[in-house]
Amino acid sequence: MNKQDFINSINDIRKNFESEISSIVSYDDLKQLKSKYIGRSSALNNLLCQIKYLPIDVRAECGSIANTCKHEIESKIKVLYDELCYKTDNLIDPTANPHKLPVGHQHFTTRAIDEITEIFERIGFYRVRYPEVEWDWFAFESLNMPKDHPARDEWETFFIDNIEVNEKYGRRILTPHTSSGQVREMLRVKPPIRMINISKCYRRQIDVSHTPMFHQFEGLVIDKGVNISHLKGVLDYFVTNFFGNNRKARIRPYHFRFTEPSFEVDVSCGICLGEGCKLCKNGWLEIGGAGMVHPVVLQFGNIDPNEYSGFAFGFGIERNYMMKSGISVDDIRLIYQNDIRFLTQF
Ligand code: PHE
């Protein structure tokens, strides 16, 4: 190799380096470029090793040309390195939380309420809300349970002290059932009525199957010519839509003071589908009460029982939700203990 070949090779290296560095945008690529151009096995290093084979009078000059080229390359790499570090630093947000925050969801009671509302709205019911702090009269007297009537015992009511007793409406209570909305709705609007009243209810009971606060939904339909087959149709509709197409509704004779005739409503068991199993014993699970609105109740609501008839039903939300297929909770109190390990399962 002579001096000119040596200088040409250096110029080629410089030219190639210039063109390659102009397209580098990442730190990793820059590291590779560095080793390619000034690393131990780079073409430039190779040339530096060749100097000793050049004629003695050109060695110093060629050495200095090669070193200048090497320094140029080094300094350009350093400039780009600083630039890339600056950019990367600015991409880091030091205030960002390194941990992913857990995303919550609605409590299953809220979701059940939405689902039930939607099921009934599809067949023309509308949702109403009535007070949880209620008068005795709406919860009992207007429902054909006069003062001191023993039937009231079943409702385990919380009475509120220190509030004046109203002459007509009696004492203040925490409503023990959504049926207290029945006469309220009759006094609010004229028939036809198709209400679904969903609300918190309170009873003085706490054990594996009761919490002192729970939710009910109450259906009330009043129109001309309403009969039991309409009630059964609505119950069948609800049961297949809420529990599933393979589930059935059944009504059994019962007694409530505010409906006549009265029924208890069952849904076929989701495990054995009505055959009878360990969970349900006889194939059916009780989901609530229902019946044809008692004429006395219609009268309290200023509705003429000779002209109109109606049906009502009242179901517990927590109980019904837990009877949906695949959900088994052996202590209903867990629902309101706010233990996230329990709640996230739903
Ligand atoms: N209110 C009754 C209860 O809480 C249920 C019911 C509602 C029964 C409507 C008949 C008609 O047990």
Side-chain angles (χ1 to χ4, degrees):
M1 181 187 288
N2 62 30
K3 177 182 163 187
Q4 200 49 52
D5 291 341
F6 189 90
I7 293 173
N8 288 346
S9 301
I10 295 284
N11 286 340
D12 285 346
I13 290 172
R14 188 183 275 120
K15 227 168 62 207
N16 292 340
F17 173 78
E18 293 290 345
S19 96
E20 279 192 47
I21 198 172
S22 64
S23 60
I24 297 273
V25 287
S26 83
Y27 179 68
D28 284 347
D29 290 349
L30 185 63
K31 241 166 70 180
Q32 269 184 23
L33 187 82
K34 184 177 175 187
S35 100
K36 178 172 173 187
Y37 282 93
I38 51 178
R40 202 185 289 210
S41 47
S42 62
L44 187 57
N45 208 39
N46 206 22
L47 278 177
L48 282 164
C49 297
Q50 301 287 315
I51 287 177
K52 55 181 180 266
Y53 303 116
L54 288 171
I56 194 148
D57 55 325
V58 298
R59 281 185 202 163
E61 192 190 346
C62 287
S64 128
I65 290 171
N67 276 323
T68 310
C69 175
K70 189 177 179 186
H71 291 142
E72 265 175 39
I73 290 177
E74 275 171 351
S75 85
K76 286 187 174 160
I77 286 176
K78 172 89 176 70
V79 169
L80 184 57
Y81 174 80
D82 288 347
E83 223 173 81
L84 289 177
C85 283
Y86 175 76
K87 272 193 198 151
T88 326
D89 279 354
N90 280 357
L91 287 178
I92 294 171
D93 175 0
T95 64
N97 189 329
H99 306 292
K100 249 191 165 174
L101 293 172
V103 178
H105 61 75
Q106 286 178 315
H107 191 279
F108 77 73
T109 309
T110 309
R111 279 195 279 173
I113 289 174
D114 289 348
E115 193 180 333
I116 291 164
T117 309
E118 203 247 322
I119 288 175
F120 284 104
E121 280 176 353
R122 281 208 299 264
I123 54 168
F125 282 71
Y126 52 87
R127 183 170 176 192
V128 298
R129 288 153 208 262
Y130 283 119
E132 290 167 22
V133 180
E134 185 51 286
W135 295 109
D136 178 299
W137 192 82
F138 286 106
F140 294 113
E141 284 205 54
S142 73
L143 296 177
N144 199 22
M145 287 183 272
K147 280 193 190 64
D148 301 326
H149 195 286
R152 288 171 169 233
D153 287 359
E154 225 181 282
W155 278 272
E156 302 277 354
T157 310
F158 287 107
F159 287 86
I160 301 176
D161 289 337
N162 306 329
I163 292 187
E164 232 176 280
V165 176
N166 183 284
E167 219 175 284
K168 171 165 184 201
Y169 295 125
R171 296 175 72 182
R172 282 282 198 183
I173 60 169
L174 297 183
T175 197
H177 58 173
T178 43
S179 299
S180 51
Q182 286 190 19
V183 172
R184 279 189 176 274
E185 182 66 5
M186 294 178 209
L187 296 175
R188 187 182 74 90
V189 293
K190 295 227 162 320
I193 289 173
R194 280 185 183 77
M195 80 154 194
I196 192 87
N197 175 28
I198 307 183
S199 153
K200 288 196 181 89
C201 299
Y202 303 82
R203 291 188 198 177
R204 215 173 45 82
Q205 278 177 321
I206 183 160
D207 57 42
V208 287
S209 51
H210 297 93
T211 48
M213 187 283 296
F214 60 102
H215 295 74
Q216 280 190 343
F217 61 101
E218 181 98 4
L220 176 70
V221 171
I222 296 177
D223 207 339
K224 289 183 177 151
V226 174
N227 59 46
I228 297 177
S229 59
H230 297 124
L231 167 63
K232 185 60 175 27
V234 169
L235 294 174
D236 285 340
Y237 165 82
F238 170 72
V239 161
T240 47
N241 278 274
F242 187 72
F243 292 98
N245 275 332
N246 55 349
R247 310 286 289 276
K248 286 197 191 76
R250 167 177 98 166
I251 50 178
R252 270 182 295 115
Y254 195 69
H255 179 258
F256 293 107
R257 293 274 307 172
F258 40 97
T259 45
E260 181 57 38
S262 302
F263 309 101
E264 273 194 329
V265 184
D266 298 334
V267 58
S268 53
C269 170
I271 311 250
C272 64
L273 298 177
E275 295 290 310
C277 68
K278 259 200 326 216
L279 174 82
C280 63
K281 310 262 185 329
N282 60 3
W284 298 88
L285 302 159
E286 186 209 315
I287 54 174
M292 301 308 292
V293 180
H294 197 292
V296 166
V297 178
L298 290 173
Q299 274 162 348
F300 275 122
N302 289 341
I303 293 174
D304 181 357
N306 295 317
E307 206 183 334
Y308 288 100
S309 58
F311 64 78
F313 54 88
F315 297 171
I317 294 203
E318 292 84 347
R319 272 177 70 83
N320 273 272
Y321 192 76
M322 280 165 34
M323 282 178 202
K324 266 189 150 190
S325 303
I327 296 168
S328 104
V329 176
D330 56 10
D331 187 340
I332 205 166
R333 291 171 293 192
L334 282 166
I335 299 174
Y336 295 114
Q337 278 167 3
N338 274 350
D339 186 332
I340 208 80
R341 290 168 303 179
F342 173 78
L343 294 174
T344 49
Q345 295 174 49
F346 298 96

